[in-house]
Amino acid sequence: MSAGKTLVLWDIDHTLITIGGLSRNIYADAFRSATGQAMRQLADMTGRTERAIAADTLRLHHIEASDQLLHSFGLALAESFLIFEEAIRERGRVLDGALEALAMLAGHPDVVQSVLTGNMEPIAIGKLRAFDLDRFVDFDAGAYGMDHEERPELVRLAQQRATGKYGHVFTAANTVLIGDTPNDVLAGHLGGARVVAVATGSCSADTLREAGAELVLTDLSSTPAVIRAILGVADEAQ
């Protein structure tokens, strides 16, 4: 690995874990709490931020997505997550190889490992904590779904947070994003990161290649291959 530090940013849903299809239930409960109405439609969630999903879901119901209501929606989402936390443990699971990859990278002194996720921060922490994965990442160096509607902005924000904490400048040359959707690839490239995509969600490996990911893996099951991929694309850029 090259001299200096590398910032590794993990997507969570369908990259590290799956929560067994409970996201809609969480949103429905939060929507009712925030608006007093039943949720009839949920906006597309694939590779998007919580803020964007919440705003679009409100608009689908002809409700203005004001900052105040989005704040209330966010608080309701965090509360709803707690209601479903036990069900997430029962129905969700860690994807093959995710634990091993996180643990291996956590042992690298030149790696700062965090998350870049559409989830708001307490939900991101809760999801990883539910499967004992939270111990491997520095949440202070990540970026979250209520920080901004646009995912590329999250990359820049995570770099700023990591730079502030570790005193090392993180740029496109030493930041690697791992995700499972074309939106993750786009976020990395527009936000300033190289991308390792994994076909562990609803998108095929071909789709992720066409989106422009530097490397595409079928899954995370081979820990040596995952580590080589992540640190290799960082080396290529430096």
Side-chain angles (χ1 to χ4, degrees):
M1 181 178 168
S2 298
K5 290 187 179 294
T6 297
L7 177 61
V8 176
L9 298 170
W10 290 92
D11 175 51
I12 293 177
D13 294 296
H14 307 294
T15 298
L16 294 174
I17 66 168
T18 176
I19 65 168
L22 287 167
S23 294
R24 185 181 181 88
N25 305 63
I26 294 169
Y27 262 88
D29 186 75
F31 186 89
R32 184 179 290 279
S33 295
T35 69
Q37 300 181 26
M39 188 183 78
R40 301 185 305 276
Q41 274 184 284
L42 177 60
D44 179 31
M45 301 182 72
T46 309
R48 305 181 70 213
T49 67
E50 212 97 76
R51 189 176 180 89
I53 297 162
D56 281 356
T57 299
L58 289 168
R59 293 180 189 118
L60 285 171
H61 294 78
H62 308 290
I63 299 171
E64 181 186 356
S66 67
D67 286 344
Q68 182 177 354
L69 184 51
L70 285 171
H71 178 70
S72 297
F73 205 148
L75 294 176
L77 279 170
E79 292 173 0
S80 297
F81 177 82
L82 295 176
I83 294 170
F84 287 93
E85 195 164 11
E86 187 58 37
I88 286 169
R89 289 192 187 94
E90 292 173 0
R91 290 172 52 175
R93 65 182 179 88
V94 179
L95 297 183
D96 292 346
L99 169 64
E100 292 80 4
L102 286 167
M104 182 69 73
L105 283 171
H108 271 267
D110 294 330
V111 168
V112 174
Q113 185 168 224
S114 191
V115 294
L116 189 138
T117 173
N119 293 294
M120 58 189 298
E121 186 172 3
I123 292 179
I125 294 171
K127 283 181 176 179
L128 294 189
R129 185 177 57 220
F131 301 104
D132 197 29
L133 301 180
D134 56 312
R135 57 200 167 107
F136 298 117
V137 302
D138 182 352
F139 291 104
D140 292 339
Y144 305 91
M146 282 296 181
D147 289 333
H148 202 281
E149 281 198 29
E150 301 301 325
R151 210 171 176 104
E153 294 298 324
L154 301 187
V155 178
R156 288 184 274 268
L157 186 53
Q159 288 169 331
Q160 291 168 10
R161 288 171 174 168
T163 294
K165 181 164 185 176
Y166 291 92
H168 185 90
V169 177
F170 293 103
T171 67
N174 57 6
T175 304
V176 181
L177 187 156
I178 306 101
D180 66 287
T181 72
N183 276 348
D184 293 314
V185 180
L186 184 65
H189 291 167
L190 293 182
R194 295 173 71 78
V195 181
V196 175
V198 289
T200 45
S202 60
C203 300
S204 68
D206 286 342
T207 297
L208 296 169
R209 288 189 192 96
E210 289 168 7
E214 276 74 18
L215 276 172
V216 178
L217 302 173
T218 303
D219 54 34
L220 301 174
S221 59
S222 172
T223 304
V226 173
I227 304 307
R228 282 197 304 271
I230 293 170
L231 300 186
V233 296
D235 278 347
E236 289 172 10
Q238 296 179 47

